[in-house]
Amino acid sequence: MVKVEVTQLSKSYGAREVLSEISFHVERGEWFCILGPNGSGKSTLLHTISGVERPTAGEVHLDDRPVQRIQRKALAKSLAVLHQDALPPLGFTVREVIEMGRYPFQNWLGREPGEDDEQMVERILDWLKLRPMEGRTVDALSGGERQRVALGKAMAQEPKLLLLDEPTTFLDIGYQVDMMDRIRKWQQECGLTVISVLHDLNLAAQYCDRLMLLQSGSIVGIGKPEDVMEAGLLERVYGTRPYVMAHPDNGAPQILLGRGDV
Ligand code: ADP
Ligand code: MG
């Protein structure tokens, strides 16, 4: 399990500051969500947490170790990243893509997958209901099915920290809920730490333990969904005032959009 600590993190591209002095922490086993308008720095923040981007100032610690000092291979064993547009490589079958998730566990000679690896691939194929299409290449799948394969590849990595960048954006509502349910089950059963960027405030408020709202690279709200899903704050950030009401099933704050006046 991984605890994430972000301290006074800033990131600039040239003279342009994209993130300014961001500090927050994510507990082990927590599902933490980053929200904010387009261009507010969400993906950049995720990239600095995963060690792909170097911060201009400040630090990211995973379990008290600076992420920049963790070796790539060790990082690949504890962290999986699921991008919205990073679809599994085309030309490979569903089974092959899931097996790729085990690569960080092979030695430098590229040993053959062991029994454990094979059993895990079988379990994932079943759990994600990918068995009927295991021999098909991912090119021949729908967007939703492909996302499920990408999730399967991430699961095969057995990460302790899962980073998700808008995993549901291109999915219809059925697939969206299916994806979120599977991630929650995985999070709860394995004590996985999840940091996700989501566009959909309503999904975020229903599934995530805490939300953080970014605007132009600064934190403007952080806390439990009911603290962040507040009409005045959302209006200041998004420029439109939503209605906020409790979900009839679980009480999570949910928004309804009013009409603009253009
Ligand atoms: P979000 O994910 O919230 O939409 P991003 O983190 O992708 O926002 O981008 C934040 C800002 O940083 C944007 O204005 C974007 O153009 C800029 N940006 C992102 N990556 C780079 C890069 N590699 N070089 C220069 N500017 C970048
Ligand atoms: Mg983004």
Side-chain angles (χ1 to χ4, degrees):
M1 288 196 270
V2 177
K3 176 183 75 177
V4 181
E5 186 95 43
V6 174
T7 323
Q8 291 287 304
L9 182 102
S10 296
K11 175 75 186 171
S12 299
Y13 291 111
R16 218 167 129 248
E17 193 170 59
V18 173
L19 295 171
S20 37
E21 298 183 12
I22 301 272
S23 295
F24 65 94
H25 73 280
V26 180
E27 299 289 344
R28 295 186 176 88
E30 186 178 25
W31 188 342
F32 186 84
C33 183
I34 304 165
L35 301 168
N38 295 330
S40 55
K42 305 180 297 294
S43 296
T44 306
L45 179 54
L46 224 51
H47 286 141
T48 48
I49 294 171
S50 67
V52 169
E53 288 278 359
R54 228 168 221 291
T56 312
E59 276 190 299
V60 175
H61 285 85
L62 305 184
D63 277 346
D64 301 322
R65 289 178 68 199
V67 67
Q68 296 291 343
R69 297 230 201 97
I70 306 174
Q71 291 193 337
R72 298 294 331 161
K73 184 140 184 172
L75 212 51
K77 281 188 185 173
S78 56
L79 181 153
V81 187
L82 203 57
H83 290 295
Q84 163 198 336
D85 46 3
L87 295 172
L90 301 179
F92 291 92
T93 67
V94 168
R95 172 180 283 273
E96 284 165 343
V97 171
I98 309 276
E99 284 169 354
M100 281 174 204
R102 299 305 295 162
Y103 284 178
F105 298 89
Q106 296 177 0
N107 65 22
W108 58 278
L109 289 171
R111 79 174 162 82
E112 288 296 303
E115 212 166 87
D116 288 354
D117 301 77
E118 272 169 28
Q119 276 178 5
M120 173 170 311
V121 170
E122 303 303 326
R123 278 205 308 274
I124 291 171
L125 285 169
D126 284 334
W127 196 63
L128 291 174
K129 302 199 167 59
L130 291 170
R131 182 74 70 187
M133 57 194 91
E134 63 172 291
R136 269 156 69 189
T137 60
V138 289
D139 328 36
L141 303 181
S142 75
E145 290 164 343
R146 233 179 278 172
Q147 276 284 22
R148 233 159 59 220
V149 176
L151 183 67
K153 176 165 174 272
M155 292 186 82
Q157 265 177 270
E158 291 188 289
K160 299 176 183 72
L161 172 63
L162 178 66
L163 303 179
L164 303 164
D165 198 348
E166 299 183 10
T168 58
T169 303
F170 297 128
L171 305 181
D172 66 42
I173 54 171
Y175 274 119
Q176 282 182 21
V177 168
D178 183 77
M179 186 87 168
M180 297 294 279
D181 281 341
R182 285 177 197 284
I183 293 166
R184 178 160 62 187
K185 194 138 197 254
W186 182 17
Q187 174 223 358
Q188 289 175 345
E189 286 182 5
C190 302
L192 181 73
T193 308
V194 184
I195 303 181
S196 63
V197 171
L198 291 174
H199 250 310
D200 189 315
L201 300 170
N202 289 338
L203 280 182
Q206 282 200 67
Y207 285 90
C208 304
D209 299 305
R210 281 190 306 142
L211 312 179
M212 179 171 84
L213 188 56
L214 286 185
Q215 184 176 32
S216 310
S218 295
I219 299 174
V220 291
I222 185 164
K224 298 221 168 288
E226 50 275 25
D227 301 328
V228 176
M229 297 279 281
E230 195 270 307
L233 176 60
L234 295 177
E235 182 178 15
R236 285 196 295 287
V237 171
Y238 289 98
T240 185
R241 189 176 184 87
Y243 297 95
V244 181
M245 48 200 60
H247 192 287
D249 281 346
N250 51 39
Q254 299 285 289
I255 62 164
L256 273 181
L257 301 179
R259 284 195 186 169
D261 51 12
V262 177

Short mmCIF file of all heavy atoms in Angstrom, two decimals, residues 93-148:
data_model
loop_
_atom_site.label_atom_id
_atom_site.label_comp_id
_atom_site.label_asym_id
_atom_site.label_seq_id
_atom_site.Cartn_x
_atom_site.Cartn_y
_atom_site.Cartn_z
N THR A 93 -3.42 -9.56 -29.00
CA THR A 93 -4.70 -10.09 -28.53
C THR A 93 -4.95 -9.61 -27.10
O THR A 93 -4.03 -9.16 -26.41
CB THR A 93 -4.71 -11.64 -28.52
OG1 THR A 93 -3.77 -12.07 -27.55
CG2 THR A 93 -4.35 -12.20 -29.89
N VAL A 94 -6.20 -9.75 -26.69
CA VAL A 94 -6.60 -9.37 -25.34
C VAL A 94 -5.71 -10.07 -24.32
O VAL A 94 -5.17 -9.45 -23.40
CB VAL A 94 -8.09 -9.72 -25.12
CG1 VAL A 94 -8.47 -9.60 -23.65
CG2 VAL A 94 -8.97 -8.82 -26.00
N ARG A 95 -5.53 -11.37 -24.49
CA ARG A 95 -4.70 -12.13 -23.54
C ARG A 95 -3.26 -11.61 -23.52
O ARG A 95 -2.67 -11.44 -22.46
CB ARG A 95 -4.72 -13.62 -23.91
CG ARG A 95 -3.75 -14.47 -23.10
CD ARG A 95 -3.82 -15.93 -23.50
NE ARG A 95 -5.00 -16.57 -22.94
CZ ARG A 95 -5.04 -17.13 -21.73
NH1 ARG A 95 -3.98 -17.10 -20.96
NH2 ARG A 95 -6.13 -17.71 -21.30
N GLU A 96 -2.72 -11.33 -24.71
CA GLU A 96 -1.33 -10.84 -24.76
C GLU A 96 -1.17 -9.50 -24.04
O GLU A 96 -0.18 -9.27 -23.35
CB GLU A 96 -0.88 -10.68 -26.23
CG GLU A 96 -0.57 -12.02 -26.89
CD GLU A 96 -0.46 -11.91 -28.41
OE1 GLU A 96 -0.93 -10.91 -29.00
OE2 GLU A 96 0.07 -12.86 -29.00
N VAL A 97 -2.18 -8.64 -24.18
CA VAL A 97 -2.09 -7.33 -23.53
C VAL A 97 -2.12 -7.48 -22.01
O VAL A 97 -1.34 -6.84 -21.28
CB VAL A 97 -3.23 -6.39 -24.01
CG1 VAL A 97 -3.27 -5.12 -23.16
CG2 VAL A 97 -3.05 -6.04 -25.47
N ILE A 98 -2.98 -8.38 -21.52
CA ILE A 98 -3.03 -8.60 -20.07
C ILE A 98 -1.68 -9.17 -19.59
O ILE A 98 -1.15 -8.76 -18.56
CB ILE A 98 -4.16 -9.59 -19.68
CG1 ILE A 98 -5.49 -9.18 -20.29
CG2 ILE A 98 -4.25 -9.79 -18.16
CD1 ILE A 98 -6.29 -8.18 -19.58
N GLU A 99 -1.12 -10.09 -20.39
CA GLU A 99 0.18 -10.70 -20.01
C GLU A 99 1.28 -9.64 -19.94
O GLU A 99 2.21 -9.76 -19.13
CB GLU A 99 0.56 -11.80 -21.01
CG GLU A 99 -0.23 -13.08 -20.79
CD GLU A 99 -0.06 -14.09 -21.93
OE1 GLU A 99 0.58 -13.75 -22.95
OE2 GLU A 99 -0.58 -15.20 -21.81
N MET A 100 1.15 -8.60 -20.77
CA MET A 100 2.16 -7.53 -20.75
C MET A 100 2.26 -6.87 -19.38
O MET A 100 3.32 -6.36 -19.01
CB MET A 100 1.82 -6.43 -21.76
CG MET A 100 2.18 -6.77 -23.16
SD MET A 100 1.56 -5.45 -24.24
CE MET A 100 1.43 -6.38 -25.75
N GLY A 101 1.17 -6.88 -18.65
CA GLY A 101 1.17 -6.31 -17.31
C GLY A 101 2.15 -7.01 -16.39
O GLY A 101 2.59 -6.45 -15.38
N ARG A 102 2.52 -8.25 -16.73
CA ARG A 102 3.45 -9.02 -15.88
C ARG A 102 4.91 -8.72 -16.23
O ARG A 102 5.81 -9.19 -15.54
CB ARG A 102 3.20 -10.53 -16.02
CG ARG A 102 1.82 -11.02 -15.62
CD ARG A 102 1.44 -10.64 -14.21
NE ARG A 102 2.28 -11.25 -13.20
CZ ARG A 102 2.36 -10.83 -11.95
NH1 ARG A 102 1.66 -9.77 -11.57
NH2 ARG A 102 3.14 -11.43 -11.09
N TYR A 103 5.18 -7.98 -17.32
CA TYR A 103 6.56 -7.77 -17.76
C TYR A 103 7.49 -7.21 -16.68
O TYR A 103 8.64 -7.63 -16.59
CB TYR A 103 6.61 -6.86 -19.00
CG TYR A 103 6.23 -7.53 -20.29
CD1 TYR A 103 6.19 -6.82 -21.48
CD2 TYR A 103 5.90 -8.88 -20.33
CE1 TYR A 103 5.82 -7.42 -22.67
CE2 TYR A 103 5.53 -9.49 -21.51
CZ TYR A 103 5.49 -8.75 -22.68
OH TYR A 103 5.13 -9.35 -23.85
N PRO A 104 7.02 -6.26 -15.87
CA PRO A 104 7.96 -5.72 -14.87
C PRO A 104 8.47 -6.78 -13.91
O PRO A 104 9.47 -6.58 -13.23
CB PRO A 104 7.14 -4.67 -14.11
CG PRO A 104 5.99 -4.36 -15.00
CD PRO A 104 5.73 -5.59 -15.81
N PHE A 105 7.80 -7.94 -13.87
CA PHE A 105 8.18 -8.98 -12.93
C PHE A 105 9.14 -9.99 -13.54
O PHE A 105 9.62 -10.90 -12.88
CB PHE A 105 6.93 -9.69 -12.39
CG PHE A 105 6.04 -8.74 -11.65
CD1 PHE A 105 5.06 -8.02 -12.31
CD2 PHE A 105 6.21 -8.53 -10.28
CE1 PHE A 105 4.26 -7.11 -11.63
CE2 PHE A 105 5.42 -7.64 -9.61
CZ PHE A 105 4.45 -6.92 -10.27
N GLN A 106 9.39 -9.84 -14.85
CA GLN A 106 10.33 -10.76 -15.49
C GLN A 106 11.75 -10.26 -15.24
O GLN A 106 11.98 -9.08 -15.06
CB GLN A 106 10.05 -10.82 -16.99
CG GLN A 106 8.67 -11.39 -17.25
CD GLN A 106 8.34 -11.40 -18.72
OE1 GLN A 106 9.11 -10.98 -19.55
NE2 GLN A 106 7.14 -11.88 -19.02
N ASN A 107 12.70 -11.18 -15.25
CA ASN A 107 14.08 -10.75 -15.04
C ASN A 107 14.68 -10.24 -16.35
O ASN A 107 14.02 -10.21 -17.38
CB ASN A 107 14.91 -11.86 -14.41
CG ASN A 107 15.04 -13.06 -15.34
OD1 ASN A 107 14.90 -12.93 -16.55
ND2 ASN A 107 15.31 -14.20 -14.77
N TRP A 108 15.93 -9.86 -16.32
CA TRP A 108 16.51 -9.21 -17.50
C TRP A 108 16.68 -10.15 -18.69
O TRP A 108 16.88 -9.73 -19.81
CB TRP A 108 17.82 -8.52 -17.16
CG TRP A 108 18.86 -9.45 -16.58
CD1 TRP A 108 18.96 -9.86 -15.28
CD2 TRP A 108 19.91 -10.09 -17.28
NE1 TRP A 108 19.99 -10.72 -15.13
CE2 TRP A 108 20.61 -10.88 -16.34
CE3 TRP A 108 20.35 -10.09 -18.60
CZ2 TRP A 108 21.70 -11.65 -16.69
CZ3 TRP A 108 21.44 -10.86 -18.95
CH2 TRP A 108 22.11 -11.63 -17.99
N LEU A 109 16.57 -11.44 -18.45
CA LEU A 109 16.60 -12.39 -19.57
C LEU A 109 15.20 -12.56 -20.17
O LEU A 109 15.02 -13.27 -21.14
CB LEU A 109 17.11 -13.75 -19.09
CG LEU A 109 18.59 -13.81 -18.74
CD1 LEU A 109 18.92 -15.15 -18.08
CD2 LEU A 109 19.43 -13.65 -20.00
N GLY A 110 14.20 -11.90 -19.54
CA GLY A 110 12.84 -12.02 -20.04
C GLY A 110 12.31 -13.44 -19.82
O GLY A 110 11.92 -14.12 -20.75
N ARG A 111 12.35 -13.89 -18.58
CA ARG A 111 11.97 -15.28 -18.31
C ARG A 111 10.52 -15.52 -18.76
O ARG A 111 9.72 -14.61 -18.83
CB ARG A 111 12.12 -15.58 -16.81
CG ARG A 111 10.99 -15.06 -15.96
CD ARG A 111 11.10 -15.49 -14.52
NE ARG A 111 10.26 -14.64 -13.69
CZ ARG A 111 8.96 -14.81 -13.54
NH1 ARG A 111 8.35 -15.80 -14.14
NH2 ARG A 111 8.26 -13.98 -12.80
N GLU A 112 10.26 -16.77 -19.04
CA GLU A 112 8.90 -17.16 -19.42
C GLU A 112 7.96 -16.92 -18.25
O GLU A 112 8.36 -17.02 -17.10
CB GLU A 112 8.88 -18.65 -19.77
CG GLU A 112 9.57 -18.98 -21.07
CD GLU A 112 8.87 -18.36 -22.27
OE1 GLU A 112 7.68 -18.64 -22.44
OE2 GLU A 112 9.51 -17.59 -23.01
N PRO A 113 6.69 -16.60 -18.55
CA PRO A 113 5.76 -16.41 -17.44
C PRO A 113 5.67 -17.65 -16.57
O PRO A 113 5.64 -18.77 -17.09
CB PRO A 113 4.42 -16.15 -18.14
CG PRO A 113 4.72 -15.91 -19.57
CD PRO A 113 6.09 -16.44 -19.86
N GLY A 114 5.69 -17.49 -15.27
CA GLY A 114 5.59 -18.63 -14.36
C GLY A 114 4.14 -19.00 -14.11
O GLY A 114 3.22 -18.39 -14.67
N GLU A 115 3.93 -19.99 -13.25
CA GLU A 115 2.58 -20.47 -12.98
C GLU A 115 1.71 -19.38 -12.34
O GLU A 115 0.57 -19.19 -12.70
CB GLU A 115 2.66 -21.67 -12.05
CG GLU A 115 1.56 -22.68 -12.27
CD GLU A 115 1.88 -23.98 -11.58
OE1 GLU A 115 1.53 -24.07 -10.40
OE2 GLU A 115 2.49 -24.86 -12.20
N ASP A 116 2.35 -18.64 -11.42
CA ASP A 116 1.62 -17.56 -10.74
C ASP A 116 1.11 -16.54 -11.74
O ASP A 116 -0.03 -16.10 -11.67
CB ASP A 116 2.53 -16.82 -9.75
CG ASP A 116 2.82 -17.69 -8.55
OD1 ASP A 116 2.22 -18.77 -8.46
OD2 ASP A 116 3.64 -17.27 -7.72
N ASP A 117 2.00 -16.19 -12.68
CA ASP A 117 1.62 -15.20 -13.68
C ASP A 117 0.43 -15.70 -14.49
O ASP A 117 -0.52 -14.98 -14.74
CB ASP A 117 2.79 -14.94 -14.64
CG ASP A 117 4.02 -14.43 -13.92
OD1 ASP A 117 4.71 -15.24 -13.29
OD2 ASP A 117 4.27 -13.23 -13.98
N GLU A 118 0.50 -16.99 -14.88
CA GLU A 118 -0.57 -17.53 -15.71
C GLU A 118 -1.90 -17.55 -14.97
O GLU A 118 -2.93 -17.19 -15.52
CB GLU A 118 -0.21 -18.94 -16.18
CG GLU A 118 0.57 -18.90 -17.48
CD GLU A 118 1.16 -20.24 -17.84
OE1 GLU A 118 0.57 -21.27 -17.44
OE2 GLU A 118 2.20 -20.24 -18.51
N GLN A 119 -1.84 -17.96 -13.68
CA GLN A 119 -3.08 -17.99 -12.90
C GLN A 119 -3.68 -16.60 -12.78
O GLN A 119 -4.89 -16.42 -12.86
CB GLN A 119 -2.80 -18.53 -11.50
CG GLN A 119 -2.80 -20.04 -11.47
CD GLN A 119 -2.48 -20.54 -10.08
OE1 GLN A 119 -2.35 -19.76 -9.14
NE2 GLN A 119 -2.35 -21.85 -9.97
N MET A 120 -2.81 -15.63 -12.60
CA MET A 120 -3.32 -14.27 -12.44
C MET A 120 -3.99 -13.80 -13.72
O MET A 120 -5.07 -13.21 -13.70
CB MET A 120 -2.20 -13.33 -12.07
CG MET A 120 -2.70 -11.92 -12.09
SD MET A 120 -1.56 -10.81 -11.40
CE MET A 120 -1.16 -11.61 -9.90
N VAL A 121 -3.38 -14.09 -14.85
CA VAL A 121 -3.98 -13.69 -16.14
C VAL A 121 -5.35 -14.35 -16.29
O VAL A 121 -6.31 -13.70 -16.71
CB VAL A 121 -3.02 -14.05 -17.30
CG1 VAL A 121 -3.71 -13.87 -18.64
CG2 VAL A 121 -1.75 -13.19 -17.22
N GLU A 122 -5.45 -15.63 -15.91
CA GLU A 122 -6.75 -16.32 -16.01
C GLU A 122 -7.79 -15.63 -15.13
O GLU A 122 -8.93 -15.42 -15.54
CB GLU A 122 -6.63 -17.79 -15.56
CG GLU A 122 -5.61 -18.64 -16.31
CD GLU A 122 -5.84 -18.67 -17.81
OE1 GLU A 122 -7.01 -18.63 -18.23
OE2 GLU A 122 -4.84 -18.69 -18.55
N ARG A 123 -7.39 -15.30 -13.91
CA ARG A 123 -8.35 -14.67 -12.99
C ARG A 123 -8.83 -13.33 -13.52
O ARG A 123 -10.01 -12.99 -13.43
CB ARG A 123 -7.70 -14.46 -11.61
CG ARG A 123 -7.70 -15.69 -10.73
CD ARG A 123 -7.63 -15.32 -9.25
NE ARG A 123 -6.55 -14.41 -8.94
CZ ARG A 123 -5.31 -14.78 -8.67
NH1 ARG A 123 -4.98 -16.05 -8.68
NH2 ARG A 123 -4.39 -13.87 -8.37
N ILE A 124 -7.92 -12.58 -14.10
CA ILE A 124 -8.29 -11.26 -14.61
C ILE A 124 -9.22 -11.39 -15.82
O ILE A 124 -10.21 -10.66 -15.94
CB ILE A 124 -7.02 -10.44 -14.97
CG1 ILE A 124 -6.28 -10.08 -13.68
CG2 ILE A 124 -7.37 -9.18 -15.75
CD1 ILE A 124 -4.91 -9.47 -13.88
N LEU A 125 -8.92 -12.35 -16.69
CA LEU A 125 -9.78 -12.56 -17.86
C LEU A 125 -11.21 -12.87 -17.42
O LEU A 125 -12.18 -12.38 -17.98
CB LEU A 125 -9.24 -13.70 -18.73
CG LEU A 125 -8.00 -13.38 -19.57
CD1 LEU A 125 -7.41 -14.65 -20.16
CD2 LEU A 125 -8.32 -12.38 -20.68
N ASP A 126 -11.32 -13.68 -16.34
CA ASP A 126 -12.65 -14.02 -15.83
C ASP A 126 -13.31 -12.82 -15.18
O ASP A 126 -14.46 -12.50 -15.45
CB ASP A 126 -12.56 -15.17 -14.81
CG ASP A 126 -12.34 -16.50 -15.50
OD1 ASP A 126 -12.75 -16.63 -16.67
OD2 ASP A 126 -11.75 -17.41 -14.87
N TRP A 127 -12.56 -12.17 -14.31
CA TRP A 127 -13.14 -11.10 -13.50
C TRP A 127 -13.65 -9.96 -14.37
O TRP A 127 -14.67 -9.34 -14.09
CB TRP A 127 -12.12 -10.58 -12.48
CG TRP A 127 -12.76 -9.76 -11.41
CD1 TRP A 127 -13.67 -10.21 -10.49
CD2 TRP A 127 -12.56 -8.38 -11.15
NE1 TRP A 127 -14.05 -9.18 -9.68
CE2 TRP A 127 -13.39 -8.05 -10.05
CE3 TRP A 127 -11.76 -7.40 -11.72
CZ2 TRP A 127 -13.44 -6.76 -9.53
CZ3 TRP A 127 -11.81 -6.12 -11.19
CH2 TRP A 127 -12.65 -5.82 -10.10
N LEU A 128 -12.94 -9.67 -15.45
CA LEU A 128 -13.34 -8.56 -16.32
C LEU A 128 -14.22 -9.05 -17.49
O LEU A 128 -14.49 -8.31 -18.41
CB LEU A 128 -12.10 -7.85 -16.86
CG LEU A 128 -11.29 -7.07 -15.82
CD1 LEU A 128 -10.01 -6.51 -16.42
CD2 LEU A 128 -12.11 -5.93 -15.23
N LYS A 129 -14.61 -10.34 -17.41
CA LYS A 129 -15.47 -10.93 -18.45
C LYS A 129 -14.87 -10.77 -19.84
O LYS A 129 -15.56 -10.44 -20.81
CB LYS A 129 -16.87 -10.31 -18.39
CG LYS A 129 -17.54 -10.50 -17.03
CD LYS A 129 -19.05 -10.32 -17.12
CE LYS A 129 -19.75 -10.80 -15.88
NZ LYS A 129 -19.32 -10.13 -14.63
N LEU A 130 -13.57 -10.97 -19.91
CA LEU A 130 -12.89 -10.83 -21.19
C LEU A 130 -12.64 -12.18 -21.86
O LEU A 130 -12.13 -12.25 -22.97
CB LEU A 130 -11.53 -10.12 -21.00
CG LEU A 130 -11.63 -8.64 -20.59
CD1 LEU A 130 -10.27 -8.09 -20.18
CD2 LEU A 130 -12.20 -7.79 -21.74
N ARG A 131 -13.04 -13.25 -21.16
CA ARG A 131 -12.79 -14.60 -21.66
C ARG A 131 -13.32 -14.81 -23.10
O ARG A 131 -12.59 -15.33 -23.94
CB ARG A 131 -13.43 -15.60 -20.69
CG ARG A 131 -13.24 -17.03 -21.00
CD ARG A 131 -11.86 -17.53 -20.74
NE ARG A 131 -11.52 -17.61 -19.33
CZ ARG A 131 -10.29 -17.91 -18.90
NH1 ARG A 131 -9.33 -18.16 -19.76
NH2 ARG A 131 -10.04 -17.97 -17.63
N PRO A 132 -14.56 -14.38 -23.37
CA PRO A 132 -15.08 -14.65 -24.72
C PRO A 132 -14.29 -13.95 -25.83
O PRO A 132 -14.40 -14.33 -26.99
CB PRO A 132 -16.51 -14.08 -24.68
CG PRO A 132 -16.83 -13.88 -23.25
CD PRO A 132 -15.54 -13.69 -22.52
N MET A 133 -13.49 -12.96 -25.49
CA MET A 133 -12.78 -12.24 -26.55
C MET A 133 -11.26 -12.31 -26.37
O MET A 133 -10.52 -11.52 -26.94
CB MET A 133 -13.26 -10.78 -26.59
CG MET A 133 -13.10 -10.03 -25.30
SD MET A 133 -14.03 -8.48 -25.29
CE MET A 133 -15.62 -9.00 -24.62
N GLU A 134 -10.79 -13.28 -25.56
CA GLU A 134 -9.36 -13.29 -25.22
C GLU A 134 -8.44 -13.44 -26.43
O GLU A 134 -7.31 -12.95 -26.41
CB GLU A 134 -9.05 -14.40 -24.20
CG GLU A 134 -9.30 -15.80 -24.71
CD GLU A 134 -8.78 -16.86 -23.74
OE1 GLU A 134 -7.56 -16.96 -23.60
OE2 GLU A 134 -9.59 -17.56 -23.12
N GLY A 135 -8.93 -14.08 -27.50
CA GLY A 135 -8.08 -14.31 -28.67
C GLY A 135 -8.19 -13.22 -29.72
O GLY A 135 -7.48 -13.24 -30.73
N ARG A 136 -9.11 -12.27 -29.49
CA ARG A 136 -9.27 -11.21 -30.49
C ARG A 136 -8.23 -10.12 -30.28
O ARG A 136 -7.79 -9.87 -29.17
CB ARG A 136 -10.67 -10.60 -30.37
CG ARG A 136 -11.67 -11.31 -31.27
CD ARG A 136 -13.08 -11.16 -30.78
NE ARG A 136 -13.59 -9.80 -30.91
CZ ARG A 136 -14.76 -9.43 -30.38
NH1 ARG A 136 -15.49 -10.29 -29.70
NH2 ARG A 136 -15.18 -8.20 -30.53
N THR A 137 -7.84 -9.46 -31.37
CA THR A 137 -6.91 -8.35 -31.20
C THR A 137 -7.68 -7.14 -30.70
O THR A 137 -8.88 -7.00 -30.96
CB THR A 137 -6.18 -7.98 -32.53
OG1 THR A 137 -7.17 -7.61 -33.48
CG2 THR A 137 -5.36 -9.14 -33.02
N VAL A 138 -7.00 -6.29 -29.95
CA VAL A 138 -7.70 -5.17 -29.32
C VAL A 138 -8.26 -4.19 -30.36
O VAL A 138 -9.20 -3.45 -30.08
CB VAL A 138 -6.82 -4.42 -28.29
CG1 VAL A 138 -6.62 -5.26 -27.06
CG2 VAL A 138 -5.49 -4.01 -28.88
N ASP A 139 -7.72 -4.21 -31.58
CA ASP A 139 -8.26 -3.34 -32.64
C ASP A 139 -9.72 -3.67 -32.89
O ASP A 139 -10.49 -2.82 -33.35
CB ASP A 139 -7.53 -3.53 -33.97
CG ASP A 139 -6.06 -3.89 -33.81
OD1 ASP A 139 -5.72 -4.61 -32.86
OD2 ASP A 139 -5.27 -3.43 -34.64
N ALA A 140 -10.09 -4.94 -32.66
CA ALA A 140 -11.42 -5.39 -33.02
C ALA A 140 -12.42 -5.26 -31.87
O ALA A 140 -13.46 -5.90 -31.88
CB ALA A 140 -11.35 -6.85 -33.49
N LEU A 141 -12.10 -4.44 -30.88
CA LEU A 141 -12.99 -4.27 -29.73
C LEU A 141 -13.63 -2.89 -29.73
O LEU A 141 -13.11 -1.95 -30.36
CB LEU A 141 -12.21 -4.44 -28.42
CG LEU A 141 -11.44 -5.74 -28.21
CD1 LEU A 141 -10.75 -5.71 -26.85
CD2 LEU A 141 -12.36 -6.94 -28.30
N SER A 142 -14.71 -2.77 -29.01
CA SER A 142 -15.32 -1.44 -28.84
C SER A 142 -14.49 -0.64 -27.84
O SER A 142 -13.66 -1.19 -27.11
CB SER A 142 -16.75 -1.59 -28.32
OG SER A 142 -16.73 -1.94 -26.96
N GLY A 143 -14.74 0.66 -27.77
CA GLY A 143 -14.01 1.52 -26.85
C GLY A 143 -14.12 1.05 -25.41
O GLY A 143 -13.14 1.01 -24.67
N GLY A 144 -15.32 0.64 -25.01
CA GLY A 144 -15.55 0.20 -23.64
C GLY A 144 -14.81 -1.08 -23.33
O GLY A 144 -14.22 -1.24 -22.25
N GLU A 145 -14.82 -2.00 -24.30
CA GLU A 145 -14.11 -3.27 -24.10
C GLU A 145 -12.61 -3.03 -24.00
O GLU A 145 -11.91 -3.62 -23.19
CB GLU A 145 -14.42 -4.23 -25.26
CG GLU A 145 -15.85 -4.73 -25.25
CD GLU A 145 -16.28 -5.35 -26.57
OE1 GLU A 145 -15.61 -5.13 -27.60
OE2 GLU A 145 -17.31 -6.04 -26.59
N ARG A 146 -12.13 -2.11 -24.83
CA ARG A 146 -10.70 -1.80 -24.84
C ARG A 146 -10.27 -1.19 -23.50
O ARG A 146 -9.19 -1.48 -22.99
CB ARG A 146 -10.40 -0.83 -25.97
CG ARG A 146 -9.31 -1.32 -26.85
CD ARG A 146 -9.05 -0.36 -27.96
NE ARG A 146 -9.98 -0.52 -29.06
CZ ARG A 146 -10.05 0.32 -30.10
NH1 ARG A 146 -9.28 1.38 -30.13
NH2 ARG A 146 -10.89 0.10 -31.07
N GLN A 147 -11.12 -0.34 -22.95
CA GLN A 147 -10.82 0.24 -21.63
C GLN A 147 -10.72 -0.85 -20.59
O GLN A 147 -9.91 -0.79 -19.67
CB GLN A 147 -11.92 1.23 -21.21
CG GLN A 147 -11.76 2.63 -21.76
CD GLN A 147 -10.68 3.40 -21.02
OE1 GLN A 147 -9.81 2.82 -20.41
NE2 GLN A 147 -10.72 4.71 -21.11
N ARG A 148 -11.59 -1.86 -20.72
CA ARG A 148 -11.57 -2.96 -19.75
C ARG A 148 -10.26 -3.74 -19.89
O ARG A 148 -9.71 -4.23 -18.90
CB ARG A 148 -12.78 -3.86 -19.97
CG ARG A 148 -13.54 -4.04 -18.69
CD ARG A 148 -14.96 -4.46 -18.87
NE ARG A 148 -15.13 -5.69 -19.57
CZ ARG A 148 -16.11 -5.88 -20.48
NH1 ARG A 148 -16.94 -4.92 -20.76
NH2 ARG A 148 -16.24 -7.04 -21.08
#
